[in-house]
């Protein structure tokens, strides 16, 4: 029952809306024991904990212990970065336990004219040096996924990929709007491969343990662990406003951002960019990528218990709109792309919609209508959504929306 290869033969994604199975959307305002949840108190006392517990033990996996920052070191810093526009810091966070040591680096840019800056925090796929052409950004030595077009052929990052992901980060726009940007290369926290001997996991193994138990953390939970440690660091950094950290992520790292927002209430807001299956998209729709497919392609992302739901989404007592509801009442933005059918834009939208009643309990406005908005016509309430033209990606349009919305939600602008 725990085998990851659960459909024989080739997987053919369904992209036909008329073939989406009929299913009941689990009611976020009804407890597993069928009790109606009528107010914030009941939500926080009964429903939120049981949902969080379900996602923890059956979807992403529990983090089996505590591990604090042992020390941190500013390895590089400048008050005159990007032609005088910003302050830059590169900070290593260092951890050790069980004879293992791990460190990861946070690259931080802060706007010069803001004393304690709000920041967008997000992981990157190919190293901190890819988010900007700034020659001072260090190149990570951690394992990276090969990508010949970025010059990554032996799982090592090189100078060739400096700045290649500039478009996905819009650093200047972020700084001009008065926000900082903090980013981490996700493979420094846990290499993105089905191998639990490396990354953060071994630091929390019990004696002789080789891999996480069925209900213990996969890679997504490991990456969220790293985001929470970055938050621990921000609480120590006088230049960052730790009450205004917006956690952002694209795709697998969007799944990560959502789970980070759900598990760590210190994050002020959450942005899920094209997060798809196991992120914002409703699993029960089986549109595009499915639970079985994701568990087969990436057996290390979720906890092993999640494989119980391979081709068996109907038996899930929850769906991903309840992951979004766990973020309430903090602002959450779900974004899709028209051509990104693999991530199921409609399923992402419906998640935001079905999470909204929980926001309403807090008197926050969610997504008011079940009708999907037109392309490039964002709906920006405390729960926000847009579908833009184009592919699976992060674009200038996306960032323009995130900034406008953050201004409104965090600064009442
Ligand atoms: C795909 C995966 C998606 C998404 C994407 C990404 O291969 O099927 O769930 O996570 O990768 O992270 O870019």
């Amino acid at each position: 029952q725990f085998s990851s290869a659960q459909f024989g033969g080739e997987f053919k994604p369904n992209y036909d809306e008329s073939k989406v199975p009929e299913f009941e959307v689990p009611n976020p305002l009804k407890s597993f024991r069928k009790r109606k949840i009528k107010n914030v108190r009941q939500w926080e006392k009964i429903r939120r904990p049981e949902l969080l517990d379900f996602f923890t033990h059956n979807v992403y996996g529990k983090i089996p212990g505590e591990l604090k920052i042992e020390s941190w070191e500013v390895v590089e810093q400048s008050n005159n970065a990007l032609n005088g526009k910003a302050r830059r810091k590169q900070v290593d966070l260092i951890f050790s336990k069980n004879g293992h040591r791990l460190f990861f680096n946070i690259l931080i840019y802060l706007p010069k004219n803001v004393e304690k800056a709000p920041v967008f925090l997000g992981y990157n796929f190919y190293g901190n040096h890819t988010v900007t052409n700034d020659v001072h950004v260090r190149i990570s030595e951690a394992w990276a996924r090969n990508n010949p077009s970025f010059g990554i052929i032996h799982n090592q990052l090189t100078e060739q990929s400096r700045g290649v992901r500039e478009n996905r980060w819009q650093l200047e726009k972020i700084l001009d709007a008065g926000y900082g940007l903090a980013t981490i290369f996700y493979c420094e926290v846990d290499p993105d491969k089905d191998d639990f001997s490396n990354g953060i996991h071994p630091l929390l193994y019990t004696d002789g343990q080789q891999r996480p138990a069925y209900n213990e953390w996969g890679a997504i939970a490991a990456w969220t662990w790293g985001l929470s440690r970055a938050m621990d660091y921000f609480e120590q950094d006088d230049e960052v406003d730790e009450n205004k950290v917006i956690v952002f992520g694209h795709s697998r790292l969007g799944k990560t951002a959502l789970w980070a927002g759900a598990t760590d209430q210190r994050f002020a807001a959450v942005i899920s960019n094209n997060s798809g299956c196991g992120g914002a998209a409703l699993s029960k729709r089986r549109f595009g990528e499915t639970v079985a497919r994701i568990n087969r392609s990436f057996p290390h992302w979720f906890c092993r218990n999640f494989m119980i739901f391979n081709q068996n989404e109907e038996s899930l007592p929850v769906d991903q709109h309840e992951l979004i509801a766990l973020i309430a009442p903090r602002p959450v933005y779900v974004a899709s792309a028209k051509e990104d059918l693999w991530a199921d834009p409609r399923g992402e939208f419906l998640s935001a919609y079905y999470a909204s009643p929980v926001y309403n309990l807090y008197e926050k406005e969610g997504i008011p209508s079940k009708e999907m908005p037109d392309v490039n016509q964002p709906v920006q309430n405390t729960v926000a959504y847009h579908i833009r033209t184009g592919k699976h990606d992060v674009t200038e349009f996306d960032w323009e929306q995130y900034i406008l919305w953050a201004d409104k939600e965090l600064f009442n602008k």
Side-chain angles (χ1 to χ4, degrees):
Q1 108 169 305
F2 290 109
S3 135
S4 58
Q6 284 209 0
F7 39 84
E10 204 194 325
F11 173 73
K12 290 207 189 65
N14 174 41
Y15 292 133
D16 180 348
E17 196 59 41
S18 74
K19 296 206 175 104
V20 168
E22 258 183 55
F23 63 91
E24 207 178 306
V25 180
N27 185 348
L29 296 182
K30 194 185 254 177
S31 77
F32 290 139
R33 298 164 80 175
K34 309 259 180 273
R35 179 156 169 203
K36 266 194 115 173
I37 303 300
K38 293 190 219 98
N39 51 46
V40 166
R41 199 182 56 87
Q42 291 171 346
W43 165 257
E44 291 184 354
K45 216 173 150 240
I46 302 164
R47 189 58 171 152
R48 188 177 190 281
E50 69 176 19
L51 284 172
L52 189 59
D53 190 74
F54 185 89
F55 280 100
T56 299
H57 293 277
N58 301 283
V59 183
Y60 303 100
K62 105 174 190 223
I63 300 176
E66 252 201 69
L67 186 53
K68 296 209 168 101
I69 301 173
E70 184 179 275
S71 60
W72 49 268
E73 191 189 341
V74 179
V75 293
E76 190 276 342
Q77 141 175 62
S78 161
N79 286 325
N80 227 359
L82 306 174
N83 301 317
K85 184 179 270 246
R87 289 168 285 161
R88 180 188 60 237
K89 277 195 257 200
Q90 302 184 67
V91 185
D92 279 345
L93 305 190
I94 301 149
F95 304 86
S96 63
K97 203 167 176 166
N98 284 346
H100 292 272
R101 195 179 137 85
L102 180 101
F103 72 91
F104 64 85
N105 184 273
I106 318 179
L107 167 65
I108 307 169
Y109 286 98
L110 298 167
K112 242 186 168 169
N113 49 354
V114 183
E115 220 175 279
K116 227 171 150 44
V119 302
F120 289 98
L121 166 67
Y123 279 118
N124 60 73
F125 283 82
Y126 290 106
N128 295 348
H129 71 297
T130 61
V131 312
T132 162
N133 271 308
D134 184 344
V135 296
H136 300 286
V137 177
R138 301 206 168 176
I139 299 180
S140 172
E141 285 170 15
W143 181 94
R145 285 181 309 129
N146 282 337
N147 184 334
S149 68
F150 293 168
I152 311 167
I153 43 176
H154 299 297
N155 301 110
Q156 286 302 305
L157 302 172
T158 67
E159 186 61 43
Q160 196 186 321
S161 47
R162 189 175 297 280
V164 290
R165 282 285 165 86
E166 244 189 340
N167 281 347
R168 283 196 175 190
W169 293 90
Q170 302 293 323
L171 181 53
E172 305 252 331
K173 257 202 172 99
I174 291 169
L175 291 165
D176 288 343
Y179 294 84
L181 175 67
T183 188
I184 302 162
F185 174 40
Y186 79 134
C187 290
E188 288 198 346
V189 175
D190 189 28
D192 190 0
K193 55 178 168 176
D194 187 15
D195 173 352
F196 284 98
S197 67
N198 52 28
I200 187 59
H201 294 94
L203 280 79
L204 289 178
Y205 284 159
T206 54
D207 268 353
Q209 190 176 2
Q210 303 280 337
R211 61 175 303 174
Y214 286 105
N215 70 338
E216 286 180 350
W217 51 347
I220 292 175
W223 298 322
T224 64
W225 172 87
L227 293 171
S228 288
R229 302 296 71 79
M231 189 68 187
D232 296 346
Y233 166 76
F234 294 146
E235 291 180 331
Q236 310 287 314
D237 184 332
D238 290 338
E239 296 182 316
V240 171
D241 183 348
E242 70 271 22
N243 297 312
K244 290 199 166 56
V245 177
I246 306 154
V247 64
F248 157 86
H250 170 62
S251 207
R252 69 197 66 183
L253 301 175
K255 309 180 209 294
T256 304
L258 287 168
W259 185 231
T263 51
D264 191 335
Q265 296 183 290
R266 294 174 298 173
F267 292 116
V270 181
I271 300 168
S272 148
N273 192 92
N274 308 178
S275 64
C277 180
L282 292 177
S283 302
K284 291 174 191 280
R285 280 171 49 79
R286 297 189 179 199
F287 188 102
E289 189 171 32
T290 65
V291 171
R293 172 57 200 246
I294 204 167
N295 279 330
R296 185 170 77 172
S297 314
F298 307 102
H300 58 294
W301 281 2
F302 300 87
C303 72
R304 279 186 283 165
N305 276 343
F306 194 42
M307 292 181 185
I308 295 170
F309 303 101
N310 287 355
Q311 287 192 303
N312 186 21
E313 287 87 343
E314 62 280 2
S315 72
L316 267 167
V318 302
D319 211 330
Q320 298 302 108
H321 60 302
E322 290 165 317
L323 168 67
I324 293 173
L326 290 173
I327 297 164
R330 292 161 295 146
V332 62
Y333 202 131
V334 174
S336 309
K338 184 87 199 288
E339 291 168 41
D340 186 18
L341 291 180
W342 182 244
D344 185 13
R346 185 168 172 77
E348 294 179 317
F349 168 75
L350 288 173
S351 247
Y353 171 74
Y354 286 121
S356 296
V358 177
Y359 279 80
N360 300 155
L361 283 187
Y362 288 92
E363 289 169 23
K364 300 279 181 191
E365 206 178 338
I367 302 294
S369 156
K370 208 181 158 183
E371 199 73 27
M372 261 180 101
D374 286 342
V375 171
N376 301 332
Q377 297 297 320
V379 179
Q380 295 187 356
N381 295 317
T382 302
V383 184
Y385 178 82
H386 73 239
I387 177 165
R388 60 157 170 78
T389 42
K391 292 202 266 279
H392 187 69
D393 197 0
V394 193
T395 67
E396 192 172 355
F397 175 87
D398 292 322
W399 276 108
E400 283 166 358
Q401 305 317 313
Y402 301 151
I403 290 167
L404 273 175
W405 169 78
D407 280 352
K408 181 159 97 97
E409 290 296 323
L410 301 184
F411 294 95
N412 290 315
K413 276 196 214 163

